[in-house]
């Protein structure tokens, strides 16, 4: 029997990484090694694959993670609301370290997770640093593929569930901006299916794939749909962006996972172009369910977990 291909997943215990590792376990001929900071989420993965607990910026951590692997999927990123220094250190520095370590260990295949926000120049640190990290990967000489997904949702996500929590808690829904900000949501499971196909495809080498919904969903439409699913239809209170940016900056200081943060507001001041999903459809058979269907699945999970 052929030896299974081992795939290093950096950020393997995160939202996308956990689902990717589960999908690798289910895929014939593949096994995973998850690299992440130590903790219970990483420990839980040890039942189904190998794990490496450590900070990938520390010397030797990536090298030991990559040793014996055929490919790497690099997911680690600074949180979107992190300061510029951390984006530079982790998003850009992490990409540089992955490239150096892959070359030194002899791993040629690298999938790099970027974002739809790398597709356009804007004031935000997150998209700008993703774009600089993409450049490091593109110039690496490795067999790279870059993914630029829109908003990801599925079990374990935090954005749509934060909208649901706010709708349950407040008589009105405070919404930064006029509600027209376009979002291109994508089920994490559909992203993961595209990643698995890219691991097996030579067509995908040297390509950037944009992924997301086929049509834009306005932020106020998304709030309304979430409200319908949880039986909480609230009036939407549209707020000017500038004070929200200040409030977001304050929220970042008060909590590790703020619902509102200044980087989001910066992003809302630009209109990201729709993802061009044709290359991913052609090369990877990419497909995703319409957002209302995906949201209904997610909301069913929320309902199942709520105490009666
Ligand atoms: N979520 C989305 O909607 C979305 C949309 C577009 C693109 N993306 C991209 O998809 C990728 C995965 O996103 P995600 O939502 O799964 O992120 P995530 O849940 O934050 O996962 C990242 C993981 O990396 C870990 N990590 C952080 N610093 C590390 C370090 N120095 N060494 C080792 N591990 C470290 C994190 O640990 P801690 O949690 O303890 O920090 C976390 O477990 C990212 O590149 C992101 O930019 C995400």
């Amino acid at each position: 029997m052929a030896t299974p291909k081992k795939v290093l997943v950096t950020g393997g215990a995160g939202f996308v990484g956990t689902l990717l590792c589960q999908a690798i376990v289910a895929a014939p001929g593949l096994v995973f090694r998850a690299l992440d900071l130590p903790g219970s989420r990483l420990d839980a993965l040890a039942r189904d694959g190998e794990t490496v607990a450590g900070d990938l910026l520390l010397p030797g951590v990536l090298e030991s993670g990559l040793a014996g692997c055929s490919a790497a999927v690099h997911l680690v990123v600074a949180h979107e609301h992190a300061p510029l220094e951390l984006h530079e250190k982790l998003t850009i520095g992490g990409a540089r370290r992955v490239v150096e370590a892959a070359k030194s260990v002899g791993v040629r295949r690298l999938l790099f997770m970027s974002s739809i926000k790398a597709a356009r120049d804007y004031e935000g640190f997150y998209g700008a640093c993703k774009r600089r990290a993409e450049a490091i990967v593109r110039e690496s000489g490795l067999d790279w593929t870059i993914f630029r997904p829109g908003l990801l949702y599925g079990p374990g996500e935090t954005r749509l569930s934060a909208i649901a929590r706010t709708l349950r808690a407040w008589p009105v829904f405070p919404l930064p901006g006029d509600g027209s900000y376009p979002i291109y949501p994508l089920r994490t499971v559909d992203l993961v299916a595209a990643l698995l196909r890219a691991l097996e495809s030579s067509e995908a080498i040297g390509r950037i794939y944009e992924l997301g919904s086929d049509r834009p969903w306005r932020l106020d439409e998304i709030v309304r749909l979430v409200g319908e699913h949880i039986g909480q239809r609230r009036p939407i209170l549209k707020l000017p962006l500038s004070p929200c940016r200040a409030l977001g900056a304050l929220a970042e200081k008060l909590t590790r996972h703020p619902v509102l943060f200044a980087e989001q507001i910066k992003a809302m001041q630009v209109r990201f172009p729709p993802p061009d999903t044709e290359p991913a459809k052609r090369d990877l058979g990419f497909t995703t369910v319409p957002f209302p269907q995906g949201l209904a699945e997610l909301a069913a999970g929320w309902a199942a977990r709520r105490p009666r």
Side-chain angles (χ1 to χ4, degrees):
M1 207 166 78
T3 316
K5 282 193 206 167
K6 192 173 292 175
V7 181
L8 178 74
V9 182
T10 76
F15 164 48
V16 176
T18 301
L19 197 68
L20 175 59
C21 289
Q22 288 164 355
I24 288 175
V25 171
L30 292 180
V31 292
F32 73 79
R33 181 182 289 153
L35 187 159
D36 211 297
L37 298 173
S40 55
R41 287 176 306 162
L42 187 65
D43 293 345
L45 286 171
R47 283 193 302 267
D48 296 320
E50 293 179 18
T51 58
V52 177
D55 179 340
L56 58 63
L57 295 175
L58 293 178
V61 170
L62 273 166
E63 282 77 1
S64 49
L66 282 159
C69 291
S70 331
V73 183
H74 180 48
L75 299 174
V76 167
V77 66
H79 288 294
E80 199 167 345
H81 53 270
L84 176 60
E85 308 77 70
L86 191 56
H87 283 283
E88 287 182 330
K89 190 171 150 200
L90 192 53
T91 304
I92 300 175
R96 193 173 292 121
R97 279 294 300 122
V98 167
V99 165
E100 284 166 1
K103 284 182 175 175
S104 79
V105 172
V107 174
R108 291 209 47 80
R109 189 77 179 101
L110 173 63
L111 272 49
F112 175 68
M113 189 59 62
S114 184
S115 159
I116 197 171
K117 289 181 180 163
R120 165 129 349 151
D121 212 1
Y122 77 109
E123 205 196 329
F125 307 144
Y126 173 78
C129 291
K130 280 285 194 192
R131 213 167 39 252
R132 287 167 61 194
E134 283 187 359
I136 292 167
V137 171
R138 284 202 318 267
E139 288 155 19
S140 64
L142 297 174
D143 294 337
W144 57 266
T145 303
I146 291 173
F147 288 83
R148 289 177 168 172
L151 176 79
L152 296 171
Y153 68 95
E157 65 83 51
T158 52
R159 303 284 171 81
L160 299 177
S161 48
I163 292 177
R165 269 199 313 280
T166 308
L167 285 163
R168 285 197 184 94
W170 292 45
V172 293
F173 188 94
L175 185 73
D178 65 1
S180 68
Y181 180 63
I183 293 181
Y184 301 92
L186 170 64
R187 283 193 319 181
T188 324
V189 70
D190 299 323
L191 168 71
V192 161
L195 290 171
L196 288 190
R197 287 194 205 102
L199 281 172
E200 302 298 330
S201 157
S202 52
E203 276 296 301
I205 293 173
R207 294 196 185 275
I208 298 180
Y209 292 111
E210 298 184 352
L211 302 174
S213 55
D214 278 331
R215 58 154 274 201
W217 290 86
R218 289 172 53 110
L219 188 50
D220 55 4
E221 269 183 297
I222 290 184
V223 171
R224 187 177 47 73
L225 280 171
V226 171
E228 282 169 11
H229 276 293
I230 61 168
Q232 303 282 354
R233 293 183 180 81
R234 304 285 194 205
I236 294 178
L237 178 64
K238 296 180 178 172
L239 302 168
L241 285 178
S242 304
C244 290
R245 190 162 158 174
L247 276 177
L250 178 67
E252 284 163 29
K253 294 195 170 50
L254 298 178
T255 157
R256 184 156 185 256
H257 294 291
V259 176
L260 182 70
F261 47 88
E263 282 295 300
Q264 249 170 357
I265 309 297
K266 285 186 200 168
M268 282 181 185
Q269 285 160 334
V270 291
R271 289 289 180 264
F272 293 98
D276 175 7
T277 56
E278 286 310 315
K281 285 176 178 159
R282 181 194 63 220
D283 296 348
L284 308 175
F286 167 70
T287 170
T288 187
V289 298
F291 176 61
Q293 182 185 330
L295 178 61
E297 291 166 9
L298 183 68
W302 294 336
R305 280 194 302 277
R306 271 177 79 76
R308 287 165 205 287

